[in-house]
Amino acid sequence: MNWAGIILAAGEGKRMKSAKPKVMYAIAGRPVLGHVIAAMREAGIGKIVVVTSPSAAAVRAYAESLGAAHVVQEQQLGTGHAAACAAPALAGFSGTLLINNGDMPLVTSDTLKAALSAAEGTGLAIVAFQPPDAGAYGRVLCDANGYLDRIVEAKDANESERATTLCNAGTVVADARNFFCWASKLENGNAQGEFYLTDIPAIAKREGVRCAVMEADATEVMGVNTRAELADAETQMQQRLRAKALEDGAGMTAPRTVFLSFDTVLESDVQIGPFVVFGPGVTVRSGAEIRAFSHLEGCTIERGAIVGPYARLRPGAQIGENAHIGNFVEVKNSTVQKDAKANHLTYLGDAQVGAGANIGAGTITCNYDGFDKQRTDIGAGAFIGSNSALVAPVKIGDGAYVGAGSVITSDVSGGALAVTRAEQKEHAGWAAKFRARKGAEKAKKGN
Ligand code: UD1
Ligand code: MG
């Protein structure tokens, strides 16, 4: 089939009360627009055009990064006008168009596919749903045969029309040539003075084309217009991602407290404790355990590794097989090889930690001088004593020891001991003399 998609994303998003375009707000670590593009792609729609407002350069850049085309709607004259703006980008296209609001992050490819097939009979279909509260949604009025009579926007509806519970999701499927012809006939004599996409079926009807109505699951097609709806969409998406992870064999003690990203990979038999947050780009391999209150982003955890509680893994952290990253340990752009341990209060940045190395509590890789980042290389089986600062660039050889409290500024040879702290001195009997002197002074003051 020859399918193309138009995504409407040029609205001002006034109800968000934000300078940021609403389609750029993230749901499960990916902008709302990215979810819509992904669902369309999965449904088999290759060519996608995103309609953007002149000021939304970020939306255009993001669409481009996902391989979608974009056009500018110079003035926000309504959803029908916005869809018509995509015409030049689709010049020469003949086939079926799927037009979707850009603010529908929960839509699935199955629903879009169902909408595409619903239009096969008549060449026109819309998607409808029954939200718990019809509120500001357009009302879908059907004829006796179940075809669409017309859509009335809430602001234009009379009382009995507003009482209708079937609402317009915002998805329209139509033959491309017919669509642009109908769109040129739209008028804006309505409550908002806009050219509504929702008037297309009424125009088609005048020309004898019936519009099929495909009813979708209400949670899938909810629009994100306010911050409260954005939060609701996040909740729904999290439920979906958690259910999928559990079904795929990940263990979670308290799923409702675990936050996943759209691309989180949890292999079977991983165990996730309560209150763990996954930013984008995380893979956890079979048998690894992520303990409570850990925050992970852009990292890979190999089989059998243990992370947390209270660990922070930042982009570029690679935790090897059976390695341990414990409480209050931060790892960024560093590889921790198999069986290595950093169990307490440590910062590993731009580092390599060799297999089986032990990083003592309070170890810090000093990787930044205010201008450049430098690397620390810790050899296999090395032992870094507690509270050591490793000033990069620096290398600690295989099997070497660094004495606790050392500040290491030059390379340490394999198998050596490096200690930089002042040597310990002992004064025999000092404590008793000290106490006697201080006690006498205090007694004198007291008199
Ligand atoms: C729209 C529908 C409504 C439906 C609801 C579903 C119309 C007139 N109304 O209302 O029937 O129930 O979606 O969520 O279509 N946009 C542009 N250019 C514009 C105006 C809007 O690109 O000039 C884009 C917005 O960025 C948004 C989409 O179109 O992604 C829908 O606009 P929005 O203002 O959210 O419409 P709703 O009031 O939600
Ligand atoms: Mg909307």
Side-chain angles (χ1 to χ4, degrees), residues 15 22 101 103 223-225:
R15 289 164 277 181
K22 81 172 168 188
N101 285 353
D103 64 355
V224 168
N225 301 294

Side-chain angles (χ1 to χ4, degrees), residues 89-172:
L90 291 164
F93 171 79
S94 64
T96 302
L97 263 185
L98 184 143
I99 299 142
N100 214 41
N101 285 353
D103 64 355
M104 200 195 276
L106 296 163
V107 74
T108 63
S109 56
D110 284 346
T111 291
L112 296 181
K113 278 187 218 160
L116 287 164
S117 1
E120 272 170 21
T122 65
L124 182 62
I126 63 140
V127 174
F129 70 120
Q130 309 254 9
D133 172 14
Y137 288 116
R139 304 300 199 267
V140 171
L141 308 172
C142 292
D143 65 21
N145 300 317
Y147 285 100
L148 183 69
D149 181 33
R150 67 209 149 88
I151 302 171
V152 190
E153 285 307 294
K155 284 184 181 158
D156 298 293
N158 62 34
E159 214 169 301
S160 74
E161 289 164 340
R162 249 200 306 274
T164 310
T165 55
L166 192 63
C167 291
N168 173 36
T171 306
V172 177

Side-chain angles (χ1 to χ4, degrees), residues 8-12 15 22-23 51 73 75-79 81-82 101-103 129 136-139 151 153 167-170 192 194 196-198 221-225:
L8 310 182
E12 293 170 50
R15 289 164 277 181
K22 81 172 168 188
V23 294
V51 183
Q73 182 191 23
Q75 276 181 294
Q76 278 52 71
L77 301 179
T79 49
H81 176 260
N101 285 353
D103 64 355
F129 70 120
Y137 288 116
R139 304 300 199 267
I151 302 171
E153 285 307 294
C167 291
N168 173 36
Q192 302 187 79
E194 291 185 354
Y196 290 164
L197 179 62
T198 47
V221 294
M222 67 171 284
V224 168
N225 301 294

Side-chain angles (χ1 to χ4, degrees), residues 169-365:
T171 306
V172 177
V173 181
D175 169 77
R177 287 214 185 124
N178 283 343
F179 178 80
F180 289 119
C181 174
W182 295 328
S184 68
K185 296 177 185 164
L186 285 171
E187 285 171 21
N188 65 352
N190 50 51
Q192 302 187 79
E194 291 185 354
F195 298 94
Y196 290 164
L197 179 62
T198 47
D199 287 342
I200 291 283
I203 295 173
K205 196 178 176 189
R206 288 207 294 269
E207 299 183 5
V209 177
R210 286 180 307 178
C211 179
V213 177
M214 199 285 279
E215 193 173 330
D217 173 69
T219 50
E220 262 198 42
V221 294
M222 67 171 284
V224 168
N225 301 294
T226 61
R227 288 178 186 267
E229 285 170 353
L230 182 74
D232 278 352
E234 179 76 51
T235 303
Q236 296 293 341
M237 184 64 85
Q238 289 300 334
Q239 274 175 22
R240 199 186 276 178
L241 293 168
R242 289 168 194 143
K244 173 85 171 55
L246 293 166
E247 196 184 305
D248 290 350
M252 292 188 201
T253 319
R256 267 185 273 180
T257 66
V258 174
F259 288 81
L260 300 161
S261 270
F262 71 101
D263 61 351
T264 305
V265 177
L266 303 179
E267 290 189 355
S268 62
D269 285 324
V270 304
Q271 184 60 38
I272 313 295
F275 299 99
V276 174
V277 176
F278 293 91
V282 178
T283 298
V284 186
R285 304 248 180 254
S286 243
E289 185 180 345
I290 314 297
R291 294 183 175 164
F293 296 102
S294 295
H295 190 286
L296 297 82
E297 186 183 358
C299 57
T300 305
I301 293 93
E302 297 296 341
R303 299 170 78 91
I306 299 174
V307 170
Y310 299 98
R312 177 162 186 216
L313 301 187
R314 291 172 52 203
Q318 310 261 9
I319 311 304
E321 259 180 65
N322 302 317
H324 291 185
I325 299 295
N327 41 268
F328 308 107
V329 173
E330 175 179 345
V331 184
K332 185 219 73 171
N333 192 28
S334 297
T335 303
V336 177
Q337 289 181 340
K338 97 194 253 279
D339 302 318
K341 292 190 176 77
N343 268 331
H344 338 264
L345 301 156
T346 286
Y347 174 58
L348 297 171
D350 304 299
Q352 153 111 350
V353 177
N358 189 90
I359 310 297
T363 298
I364 305 290
T365 54

Side-chain angles (χ1 to χ4, degrees), residues 365-427:
T365 54
C366 308
N367 61 327
Y368 186 49
D369 58 12
F371 295 91
D372 297 307
K373 304 272 165 65
Q374 307 286 356
R375 294 201 62 85
T376 300
D377 190 340
I378 299 168
F383 185 100
I384 311 298
S386 297
N387 208 29
S388 294
L390 308 177
V391 182
V394 72
K395 282 189 180 162
I396 314 295
D398 289 354
Y401 266 73
V402 167
S406 293
V407 176
I408 300 294
T409 53
S410 13
D411 292 356
V412 178
S413 317
L417 165 68
V419 200
T420 68
R421 58 177 183 248
E423 219 169 287
Q424 187 165 324
K425 286 181 193 154
E426 190 165 310
H427 303 274

